[in-house]
Amino acid sequence: MIRKSGHRFSEKIMLHQKLMECDRFNLKRLRASQCDAREGRMPQVSFNAEPVPLSVDLDQAALVIIDMQRDFLEPGGFGEALGNDVSRLQAAVAPLQQVLAAARERGMLVIHTREGHRPDLSDAPPHKVQRGDPSTRIGALGPMGRILIRGEPGHDIIPELYPLSDEPVIDKPGKGAFYQTDLELMLRNRGIDTLIVCGVTTEVCVNTTVREANDRGFRCIVLSDCCASYFPEFHAAGLAMIKAQGGIFGSVAASQALLDALASGATA
Ligand code: TIU
């Protein structure tokens, strides 16, 4: 009998504790939502995308800017060494500047990547290095320093999109941003499940990264006008491949759709 009432008493205490926990939890949520409203934060936005419209929780999304480096966008770098007209990549710069500014304003996580290799080329596959004219290969000296080598002026990100000191920069030896980098660890540690992907080139490093991300369970949204290619037809095909078959690798949206949603406060 004593044991029974003792049991009931402890049950009551547990119930009371549970209710208090519940109250604390609800109070926390209420305070967070009041805080969001006061600070004008907008955790979720909805906007048009292909193949279907999207709703994104900004706290779980990161803007990932792929390889907007002088080596790809300016004359004398790796892009030109490969025989490309680098001026074609300029199309992505102005739209990306707007998206970057909006993401920073919203306090979104912004991650930049750079393709490049160690000065001793120990992380560069020989077949990648041996391609093309020896005078313009990876590691050769060009007007922006050694081509595609970490620490050289050409390897750095263009001034228009330069990272802030608290924005992670991922140095990657390959085309995909997940290969031999700590990008996945960073995203998982921060509870990120959605990547808004921009950068160059659409069909090479952007596509490779999106495919890697998709296989790892991240939702990818590629901003079409914030990506560019040396080949317009590859840009179009690169985007088409991502959004085809019900969004086999991810979604594609125009940057204005995202900017409008952020500006208008469209919530899901
Ligand atoms: N960043 C990236 O796309 N690297 C490339 O080599 N792209 C080419 O299109 N060549």
Side-chain angles (χ1 to χ4, degrees), residues 67 72 78 82 84 115 172 175 200-201 203-205 230:
D67 300 358
F72 293 108
F78 185 57
L82 295 172
N84 297 308
E115 180 181 347
K172 61 190 184 66
K175 304 301 181 193
V200 296
T201 61
E203 78 279 15
V204 181
C205 289
Y230 302 117

Side-chain angles (χ1 to χ4, degrees), residues 167-208:
E167 290 170 354
V169 178
I170 304 284
D171 278 322
K172 61 190 184 66
K175 304 301 181 193
F178 288 85
Y179 177 67
Q180 299 288 345
T181 74
D182 52 9
L183 174 60
E184 184 172 0
L185 183 63
M186 261 184 211
L187 298 172
R188 302 239 186 258
N189 282 343
R190 293 173 200 233
I192 300 294
D193 68 5
T194 297
L195 309 183
I196 297 173
V197 188
C198 305
V200 296
T201 61
T202 318
E203 78 279 15
V204 181
C205 289
V206 170
N207 242 267
T208 306

Side-chain angles (χ1 to χ4, degrees), residues 74-249:
E74 293 184 17
F78 185 57
E80 194 172 73
L82 295 172
N84 297 308
D85 172 4
V86 293
S87 69
R88 289 189 186 276
L89 302 193
Q90 282 298 320
V93 176
L96 228 172
Q97 276 181 301
Q98 282 193 289
V99 168
L100 180 57
R104 283 173 176 164
E105 201 178 310
R106 288 283 159 208
M108 264 178 72
L109 173 63
V110 177
I111 295 180
H112 306 257
T113 73
R114 298 185 297 202
E115 180 181 347
H117 297 283
R118 292 170 181 264
D120 64 2
L121 298 181
S122 56
D123 61 350
H127 290 114
K128 184 177 180 184
V129 176
Q130 285 155 15
R131 281 178 206 139
D133 186 323
S135 68
T136 54
R137 280 179 185 168
I138 294 169
L141 191 60
M144 293 191 287
R146 292 181 67 204
I147 291 173
L148 218 61
I149 298 298
R150 294 178 188 172
E152 299 288 336
H155 177 259
D156 214 351
I157 290 169
I158 58 169
E160 298 94 314
L161 299 167
Y162 209 75
L164 297 179
S165 58
D166 62 347
E167 290 170 354
V169 178
I170 304 284
D171 278 322
K172 61 190 184 66
K175 304 301 181 193
F178 288 85
Y179 177 67
Q180 299 288 345
T181 74
D182 52 9
L183 174 60
E184 184 172 0
L185 183 63
M186 261 184 211
L187 298 172
R188 302 239 186 258
N189 282 343
R190 293 173 200 233
I192 300 294
D193 68 5
T194 297
L195 309 183
I196 297 173
V197 188
C198 305
V200 296
T201 61
T202 318
E203 78 279 15
V204 181
C205 289
V206 170
N207 242 267
T208 306
T209 299
V210 166
R211 289 165 191 240
E212 286 181 330
N214 179 64
D215 277 350
R216 286 166 173 77
F218 295 98
R219 175 172 62 155
C220 291
I221 304 160
V222 178
L223 299 183
S224 52
D225 51 328
C226 293
C227 298
S229 168
Y230 302 117
F231 306 89
E233 66 275 27
F234 291 170
H235 174 73
L239 297 174
M241 281 190 271
I242 289 164
K243 68 185 178 190
Q245 305 181 67
I248 195 86
F249 298 125

Side-chain angles (χ1 to χ4, degrees), residues 29-45:
R29 281 178 57 145
L30 183 68
R31 280 197 188 129
S33 69
Q34 283 170 341
C35 201
D36 283 352
R38 263 204 312 278
E39 291 170 7
R41 284 187 64 216
M42 193 170 45
Q44 272 207 337
V45 291

